[in-house]
Amino acid sequence: MKKVLWLAALLVAGLPASAQQTTDNAKKAVPMQKVKVVGKSAKTLEQVKAEQDAKTAFIGQQFTDFEMADTEGKMHKLSEYVGKGRWVLVDFWASWCGPCRAEMPHVTAAYQKYHTKGLDVVGISFDSKKDAWLNAIQALNMPWINLSDLKAWDCLGGKIYKVNSIPDNLLIDPQGKIVARGLRGEALQAKLQEVLGE
């Protein structure tokens, strides 16, 4: 489990003119705010909660359709794969994303184990360079449908589902309802075992 470091932040405006002002200002000090430090960036609890709320807002809803090109340039709608009686993992990733590449063996293992039991994967790439995207698909052994508009962070699917970091994913049930998001590693395997069995 990752260690989370909590810091207190205090905003101070201006220098007091007297000791009395120092005491008065201390009494009126801005309340301390907890900050979550992730890597080299810090986010307030409100920012972290807002991001989590945006992502979980989709759980329980029907999927939203969009259209992107496959590796050969042919356009496909998400609805060609979702809501057709099979479970679908929509996997947001990019060839340049180290954590995505590290997560891909888990996605591949899930696909190999559960594809015959009713699981499909649709890869949605945040790449901007087609060669890098195609090479990564081959190198990472991704036999499922892969789509991209090659617009990096302006990726249509990413915008619709408010993807602000990758890897990310959506697990969608056979009727097209989003049931989980952000499943990685053991959590992905556990959820698939729950819905598809051993």
Side-chain angles (χ1 to χ4, degrees), residues 98-177:
C100 299
R101 294 179 81 101
E103 184 62 24
M104 204 53 70
H106 298 289
V107 177
T108 302
Y111 179 81
Q112 290 171 346
K113 182 173 183 177
Y114 293 106
H115 182 64
T116 59
K117 296 180 180 184
L119 175 70
D120 287 325
V121 176
V122 177
I124 305 296
S125 173
F126 278 57
D127 278 285
S128 61
K129 297 178 181 169
K130 189 170 184 177
D131 288 344
W133 175 45
L134 297 177
N135 290 337
I137 290 169
Q138 184 175 10
L140 296 170
N141 187 28
M142 300 167 62
W144 49 83
I145 186 75
N146 283 280
L147 306 175
S148 184
D149 53 16
L150 299 174
K151 292 183 180 178
W153 287 103
D154 287 326
C155 165
L156 178 60
K159 285 183 174 275
I160 289 171
Y161 288 104
K162 300 185 188 309
V163 176
N164 55 22
S165 65
I166 51 176
D168 197 3
N169 59 41
L170 304 168
L171 182 61
I172 305 176
D173 77 7
Q175 293 73 43
K177 184 170 77 174

Side-chain angles (χ1 to χ4, degrees), residues 54-112:
K55 288 188 173 190
T56 58
F58 293 101
I59 296 174
Q61 294 182 9
Q62 286 297 111
F63 79 100
T64 300
D65 207 5
F66 60 88
E67 186 175 44
M68 295 173 80
D70 67 12
T71 57
E72 296 176 358
K74 182 179 175 188
M75 298 302 287
H76 292 275
K77 289 187 176 186
L78 187 59
S79 57
E80 292 175 40
Y81 311 98
V82 174
K84 304 292 185 192
R86 293 177 61 86
W87 287 87
V88 178
L89 182 71
V90 179
D91 187 48
F92 299 98
W93 72 287
S95 66
W96 46 262
C97 169
C100 299
R101 294 179 81 101
E103 184 62 24
M104 204 53 70
H106 298 289
V107 177
T108 302
Y111 179 81
Q112 290 171 346

